[in-house]
Amino acid sequence: MPDTRAVAPLLLSWYDRHHRSFPWRVPPAEGQRGLRAQPYHVWLSEVMLQQTTVQAVMPYFERFRTLWPRVEDLAAAETEDVMKAWAGLGYYARARNLKKCAEAVARDHGGRFPDTEEGLRALPGIGDYTAAAVAAIAFDRPSAVVDGNVERVVSRLFRVEESLPAAKREFRALTASITPKERPGDFAQAMMDLGSTICTPRRPVCALCPLNGHCLAYRTGAEIETYPRKAPKKEKPVRRGAAFVARAADGAIFLRRRIDSGLLGGMSEVPSTAWSARTDGATEADAAPFAADWQPCGSVTHVFTHFSLELTVFAADGLEAIRRNDGWWEPATSLSGAALPTVMKKAIALAFPQALAS
DNA sequence: CATACGTGGTT
DNA sequence: TAACCAAGTAT
């Protein structure tokens, strides 16, 4: 077994020299002087970073912080504006829960985030990972912060043979065994930095790792890339459907709002048929939301987490923007700022290449 | 415990 | 290029 006491000092020393800088972070030197990142910023960044890359998150984080500087501002915002600001980041339940969480903090906690893992865990959109991360980073709690990076580091450090997701409990216990009471927030961020820059999924740079002297997988000559062990994945089915992009004479595009639950919940869309597993290849101009001169203009493919979608796109142009109760005509000038998920932007761009240029 | 839930980048 | 991956959560 690795010497669990030796890990944290080595890792923190490495972090002091090699930490990455982000808008939501406080550098370790300032942390040592007692400065802490704002819980609101830590929480916002952690939610955005769930299953999402730092690069993708960066502009969204800055945008949210500008639009809503405090959690009370976010709590008071229009949900539709939050969805618009989140559009393109994916996993839209996060945006809905983000708003609910802000409201709960403002209403039930006087605008202050709970400072314990348990208190945080009870809020919408905050699970085991985020509760532990916010508790450690914002409130100096020695919680076991386990994300995908940490699972990878720990699985190699201790050469864990059990597969994910069954190994979750073991990873949590092992992480707790190396988490220090001093600087737990820096330790958590250091583990994640190590996982994303040194202990990478493929081609890890073990020669530069501050923990290589204690890493069981490294010391025993194991095939390091094969950790963590994972259960085999299921293959993605293909679903098909049709989308109808209607443009008025003034350039407005007809949009609808999807129901709050399920895929792309609460986001905007162009009228579409259901997405089925049907493979007969029929076109369905007759499934259009209203009568018009619908012209087929090709198809777009979009890959979701658990299926691929092939969307046949129909377009109609120069329509009279008659008022309808099942949607609205989004003006050309505001279309690019609408709450449109990427798949819908693809469909609109195929029908009218300049529509989203704005 | 398994499944639903986005998107864009990398290999 | 198909596969894999990225700071997970809710049900």
Side-chain angles (χ1 to χ4, degrees), chain A residues 32-298:
Chain A
Q32 302 254 45
R33 305 204 322 264
L35 196 64
R36 291 286 170 276
Q38 292 181 39
Y40 173 53
H41 290 167
V42 176
W43 162 73
L44 179 59
S45 65
E46 291 300 343
V47 173
M48 287 182 167
L49 287 162
Q50 290 166 6
Q51 296 289 286
T52 309
T53 59
V54 166
Q55 181 183 337
V57 163
M58 205 80 81
Y60 285 85
F61 178 83
E62 298 288 21
R63 179 75 174 143
F64 269 69
R65 197 172 55 168
T66 300
L67 287 172
W68 303 292
R70 303 167 308 148
V71 67
E72 292 96 332
D73 301 319
L74 185 57
E78 293 292 334
T79 297
E80 179 65 14
D81 289 334
V82 176
M83 302 311 284
K84 285 179 179 176
W86 197 275
L89 201 52
Y91 283 145
Y92 299 101
R94 292 186 294 173
R96 303 194 297 272
N97 285 328
L98 191 81
K99 181 70 165 71
K100 289 180 191 164
C101 183
E103 290 169 355
V105 170
R107 174 178 10 94
D108 304 333
H109 300 277
R112 303 296 182 98
F113 278 84
D115 64 358
T116 65
E117 212 175 333
E118 299 70 35
L120 290 159
R121 184 68 178 78
L123 292 165
I126 297 186
D128 289 339
Y129 163 75
T130 304
V134 175
I137 298 168
F139 298 115
D140 237 18
R141 304 281 187 182
S143 46
V145 181
V146 185
D147 74 330
N149 287 306
V150 176
E151 287 175 345
R152 187 168 56 255
V153 172
V154 167
S155 72
R156 294 169 178 176
L157 196 56
F158 293 91
R159 197 171 173 175
V160 176
E161 294 297 341
E162 183 167 27
S163 295
L164 286 168
K168 293 259 180 198
R169 182 177 297 275
E170 184 175 2
F171 285 137
R172 192 175 173 80
L174 290 171
T175 302
S177 78
I178 57 174
T179 298
K181 290 187 172 58
E182 300 295 320
R183 304 180 63 191
D186 280 349
F187 178 80
Q189 295 176 96
M191 287 285 278
M192 294 188 275
D193 278 13
L194 188 75
S196 60
T197 63
I198 303 286
C199 196
T200 49
R202 279 162 290 188
R203 295 175 161 278
V205 195
C206 299
L208 299 182
C209 181
L211 306 181
N212 57 15
H214 297 270
C215 180
L216 206 50
Y218 181 67
R219 293 192 310 174
T220 60
E223 291 181 62
I224 296 172
E225 288 186 12
T226 64
Y227 296 85
R229 311 293 198 205
K230 291 185 179 180
K233 312 198 165 174
K234 298 175 59 178
E235 66 176 271
K236 290 182 185 182
V238 176
R239 296 188 196 172
R240 293 182 174 78
F244 300 88
V245 187
R247 184 160 72 172
D250 65 357
I253 301 287
F254 187 74
L255 300 182
R256 299 190 306 202
R257 189 178 195 278
R258 294 175 64 88
I259 59 172
D260 279 324
S261 61
L263 189 71
L264 309 177
M267 299 295 285
S268 299
E269 66 170 2
V270 296
S272 311
T273 62
W275 301 340
S276 70
R278 197 174 47 68
T279 59
D280 59 21
T283 56
E284 44 258 274
D286 58 337
F290 43 77
D293 181 22
W294 296 105
Q295 297 294 324
C297 43

